Amino acid sequence: MSDTLPPLRDLLATAVAAVGGAERPGQVEMAEAVHASIRTGDHLAVQAGTGTGKSLAYLVPAIRHAVANGSSVVISTATIALQRQLVDRDLPRVAKALKESLKRTPTFAILKGRRNYLCLHRLDGPEDEPDDQVLFDPFAISRLGREVTRLREWVSDTETGDRDELVPGVSEQAWRQVSVSARECLGASRCPMGTDCFAEKARAEAGRADIVVTNHALLAIDALQGYQVLPEHDVVIVDEAHDLVDRVTSVATGELSASMVSMASRRVGRLVEEDTADRLAECGEGLAMLLEDVPTGRLDAFPEPLRVTVTAIRDSAHQCITALGPERQADPDVVATRKLAMSMLEEVHDNAVRVLDAFGADDAHRRDVVWVTGDFGSNTPRPPTLKVAPLGVAGLLREKLFGENTTILTSATLTLGGTFDALAKQWGLPVQQSSSAKVDGMASDKEVASDHLRWTGIDVGSPFDHARSGILYTARHLPPPGRDGLPDAYLTELQSLVEAAGGRTLGLFSSMRAAKNAAAALRERTDTEILCQGDDSTSLLVKKFAENPATCLFGTLSLWQGVDVPGPSLSLVVMDRIPFPRPDDPLASARQRAVEARGGNGFLTVAATHAALLLAQGAGRLLRSMDDRGVVAILDPRLATARYGGFLRASLPPFWPTTDAEVVRAALRRLDSAAS
């Protein structure tokens, strides 16, 4: 249809008024940039600080485009929380507000991967055998049975079959009994339950919607698989884009374990000759014995016994696949059993191939990294497992995301070291030589064309006056952090800051051990209530922290990015050290070495970029509303003294900087007094 709709600015004003807000310059600038990107087809990266109102800034131009062109726009998020905010709060209000202007009510839907929906045919079919982790544990088997029974009862109450709507949830083993992956699905036309399928209903609803809300994982699956998962669309908006590479990498990571091989052999054992399935089972037993003696961590070379065994697994899995032959049966139950076996066999075979191929090139040309992982210290120990992950996903994103759709990426944290270049490299976009030039009236990095990829990066700023609202304190006088936990000087510094703030402290630590040690020490040294991640569910701890100003909350990674506590309950954010990846992190260390093998700066490209992103996310916890005031305190002196400190500081919001501890404590005492 022709574009006879009201101008973007009018629609934005209508939407903002409907949600009780006021237009902000950054919001208007972002909305116009998104509108221009959709119109021209050029990609766009937008850094929009907290409080900008970025959801409306991309929803309004996205809805206008969808209605004007009769097409769908996909919005991808990293977290369930933002998906729910969009679907339950933002989109219903915006759709209602724009109904009159657009002459119809815009439609929207949420779409997840097939594994997230209960499968009615699987529910009525034979139960899968439990994996080796629970096979010989009567308590685990009993719990599994109770959970599956509960799922069978839940099916009569649910309208969506969406796992996230089941409260309380169930274990992964139980959910696997009643769900299927896309590989395992019979297909709506062949499945006897196809007309009632929850996943197909969700997909059909998404296919009719103007706006489809999904997640980065499904976006990755859509790119990785050879078949279409998302409905037809021409625009993708990636919110929480700072997490995109990690989420796509996670989806592209495979594993090979003895339990996987054992399950594949059991599934296929009923369908092929016994000897064929037994050979695969024996290979799995051999893998289990060999992995027991291999240290956890990255494998720079493939031990010969392990190579021989993985080769045998690959070949045995291929023999089983060949023995299954083409599909001949029409009985849906028989076809479903074969599908389940084939899916597991193909996963085992393909991952074995990836593991073997990972050692065929030098560091500069290697595509995958392989490591051994095992978790023996937890309550649910996992046996040793081979993991294989891509060293980068830039090529995949470049071809499958930017090569096929107009893509808008946005987050409060995209410019690291002051430019978009660090993340652009990871996304597969051409890097920019940054400038402060104006492009179409927008402050922008220099636009660069490479082949058919053109993109613009803009920072629309934040409504917060960071220099007047917050202090960035670097404890330059402290010793550099060591490997043996928090030095006593750090604990003393932390105590003095917490006491000056009267509690009101979010402590972000580089490890759970450091968080627990700090919590234990301060509980002995102060009367302030210290909450620590792991004491209860994170959501309940955050709620308690927000409701009680004279408390502190200490924790690790999920708190760096997932806490939103506006108001007087939070006036101090403390980070114990610069959050570089662990030296023994297999993926980060392999990526760093690959960059160096190609002549680049591996530390700056990988470790410093990782740290800058987390520092910026952590610092972003401080100011969540216009009235917030406080301090971001970084105990690691390297932020002020190391050569890379400038890059890290340029990645942080522009708080007023100081290294004077007494100035900071005095400011915290004034804030505490004003709030009391």
Side-chain angles (χ1 to χ4, degrees):
M1 62 180 285
S2 60
D3 189 351
T4 58
L5 301 178
L8 173 72
R9 289 291 297 272
D10 293 351
L11 293 175
L12 181 62
T14 300
V16 170
V19 300
E23 274 190 354
R24 304 179 180 110
Q27 185 182 58
V28 174
E29 183 182 3
M30 178 176 173
E32 290 179 339
V34 172
H35 181 58
S37 174
I38 293 173
R39 190 177 66 248
T40 63
D42 290 352
H43 307 299
L44 176 69
V46 187
Q47 178 164 283
T50 304
T52 302
K54 64 181 170 68
S55 295
L56 283 187
Y58 63 69
L59 284 177
V60 172
I63 289 172
R64 189 185 189 282
H65 169 74
V67 172
N69 295 275
S71 58
S72 294
V73 173
V74 168
I75 297 175
S76 178
T77 76
T79 61
I80 292 174
L82 182 54
Q83 286 180 44
R84 295 260 61 104
Q85 176 188 314
L86 290 172
V87 172
D88 295 340
R89 191 186 74 182
D90 294 346
L91 278 165
R93 292 195 292 180
V94 173
K96 182 179 179 181
L98 299 184
K99 176 181 178 180
E100 184 176 347
S101 300
L102 298 177
K103 309 303 182 189
R104 72 170 176 83
T105 303
T107 57
F108 55 90
I110 188 168
L111 185 62
K112 304 175 184 178
R114 187 174 291 273
R115 181 67 88 178
N116 290 277
Y117 300 96
L118 187 145
C119 172
L120 294 170
H121 184 250
R122 187 81 195 277
L123 192 71
D124 289 337
E127 290 189 11
D128 203 6
E129 292 184 42
D131 62 31
D132 292 346
Q133 289 178 248
V134 299
L135 194 57
F136 301 109
D137 184 343
F139 295 104
I141 291 175
S142 176
R143 186 189 72 241
L144 183 66
R146 289 194 302 271
E147 289 181 333
V148 171
T149 298
R150 186 167 150 242
L151 286 166
R152 293 180 186 279
E153 294 169 350
W154 178 62
V155 72
S156 61
D157 299 326
T158 179
E159 294 183 2
T160 65
D162 186 337
R163 181 179 182 177
D164 290 331
E165 295 182 8
L166 179 65
V167 179
V170 296
S171 65
E172 183 63 27
Q173 287 96 342
W175 187 255
R176 282 207 308 265
Q177 297 281 334
V178 298
S179 65
V180 295
S181 65
R183 266 182 168 180
E184 296 166 338
C185 177
L186 289 173
S189 61
R190 303 177 64 188
C191 178
M193 310 298 291
T195 55
D196 299 315
C197 175
F198 291 122
E200 289 297 325
K201 286 180 178 179
R203 190 174 181 190
E205 184 180 357
R208 297 187 295 267
D210 298 313
I211 303 295
V212 180
V213 179
T214 188
N215 54 61
H216 296 351
L218 192 61
L219 195 67
I221 291 169
D222 192 66
L224 287 165
Q225 305 292 352
Y227 45 83
Q228 189 175 10
V229 177
L230 295 169
E232 290 287 343
H233 58 279
D234 57 354
V235 175
V236 175
I237 297 173
V238 181
D239 203 341
E240 301 175 307
H242 62 275
D243 260 347
L244 178 63
V245 168
D246 283 348
R247 300 298 173 117
V248 174
T249 300
S250 180
V251 170
T253 298
E255 64 177 50
L256 189 65
S257 67
S259 61
M260 282 179 61
V261 178
S262 174
M263 181 175 286
S265 68
R266 290 200 300 271
R267 282 186 176 181
V268 78
R270 313 164 195 158
L271 305 171
V272 301
E273 290 185 6
E274 186 176 343
D275 288 350
T276 304
D278 284 349
R279 278 195 294 272
L280 182 60
E282 290 167 4
C283 291
E285 292 168 2
L287 180 65
M289 289 187 290
L290 286 173
L291 287 180
E292 291 288 350
D293 296 326
V294 179
T296 58
R298 191 183 70 219
L299 291 177
D300 293 326
F302 211 20
E304 183 61 16
L306 198 55
R307 187 194 67 77
V308 170
T309 299
V310 173
T311 301
I313 289 172
R314 178 199 65 188
D315 295 344
S316 295
H318 184 266
Q319 289 169 1
C320 289
I321 292 170
T322 302
L324 274 176
E327 227 170 73
R328 296 187 180 90
Q329 290 282 345
D331 183 340
D333 288 336
V334 176
V335 174
T337 301
R338 181 187 179 280
K339 274 266 189 181
L340 289 171
M342 182 65 82
S343 171
M344 182 62 79
L345 287 169
E346 287 176 343
E347 185 176 3
V348 167
H349 175 270
D350 294 350
N351 287 346
V353 169
R354 280 185 69 186
V355 168
L356 291 166
D357 289 350
F359 297 94
D362 58 26
D363 287 338
H365 300 93
R366 185 173 288 186
R367 295 177 57 185
D368 283 327
V369 58
V370 177
W371 70 96
V372 178
T373 184
D375 185 5
F376 307 105
S378 69
N379 293 328
T380 55
R382 288 199 65 191
T385 298
L386 281 172
K387 293 264 192 176
V388 55
L391 280 171
V393 294
L396 171 70
L397 293 175
R398 179 183 174 86
E399 178 186 355
K400 296 296 187 179
L401 181 61
F402 300 109
E404 297 182 359
N405 308 282
T406 301
T407 304
I408 293 106
L409 307 112
T410 185
S411 169
T413 310
L414 293 182
T415 59
L416 304 180
T419 78
F420 289 94
D421 289 354
L423 289 180
K425 289 178 185 177
Q426 296 182 12
W427 294 331
L429 291 174
V431 299
Q432 301 175 324
Q433 300 301 317
S434 303
S435 75
S436 57
K438 291 277 185 175
V439 179
D440 293 331
M442 300 182 296
S444 170
D445 278 2
K446 181 182 175 184
E447 198 170 16
V448 173
S450 176
D451 302 327
H452 61 287
L453 288 183
R454 293 173 59 88
W455 72 284
T456 300
I458 67 169
D459 182 353
V460 300
S462 167
F464 301 145
D465 187 344
H466 287 89
R468 290 181 177 272
S469 301
I471 296 172
L472 174 64
Y473 167 54
T474 306
R476 184 174 184 143
H477 63 283
L478 292 178
R483 295 185 177 181
D484 300 324
L486 290 173
D488 190 68
Y490 280 49
L491 295 172
T492 300
E493 185 79 15
L494 178 59
Q495 177 187 347
S496 72
L497 293 170
V498 166
E499 289 176 344
R504 311 178 194 279
T505 301
L506 177 65
L508 303 176
F509 293 86
S510 53
S511 70
M512 186 56 73
R513 185 180 71 164
K516 289 182 176 179
N517 288 348
L522 262 68
R523 283 167 182 160
E524 292 181 358
R525 299 183 184 203
T526 74
D527 294 329
T528 303
E529 183 178 9
I530 309 293
L531 308 173
C532 188
Q533 195 173 6
D535 293 345
D536 205 333
S537 73
T538 299
S539 59
L540 288 177
L541 290 172
V542 172
K543 183 175 184 291
K544 188 174 181 180
F545 172 62
E547 292 173 348
N548 300 279
T551 61
C552 300
L553 174 59
F554 292 176
T556 187
L557 189 60
S558 62
L559 300 187
W560 286 74
Q561 303 184 73
V563 175
D564 185 8
V565 181
S569 290
L570 175 54
S571 58
L572 173 61
V573 174
V574 179
M575 305 182 216
D576 68 327
R577 64 190 298 160
I578 297 170
F580 294 120
R582 288 168 53 99
D584 59 354
D585 179 281
L587 188 52
S589 60
R591 285 174 169 172
Q592 188 166 325
R593 199 166 64 172
V595 171
E596 291 165 355
R598 293 192 291 267
N601 186 325
F603 172 78
L604 195 62
T605 301
V606 179
T609 295
H610 172 92
L613 189 57
L614 274 179
L615 279 176
Q617 286 286 309
R621 301 309 98 202
L622 181 65
L623 303 183
R624 309 302 295 178
S625 71
M626 296 300 291
D627 296 326
D628 287 350
R629 302 288 184 273
V631 173
V632 172
I634 298 176
L635 304 184
D636 190 336
R638 294 175 297 176
L639 188 69
T641 61
R643 291 177 59 190
Y644 51 77
F647 172 78
L648 299 178
R649 293 193 301 274
S651 306
L652 295 171
F655 297 117
W656 183 75
T658 185
T659 57
D660 190 326
E662 188 48 49
V663 168
V664 171
R665 287 192 288 265
L668 289 170
R669 283 191 286 266
R670 287 194 297 272
L671 286 173
D672 181 39
S673 178
S676 298

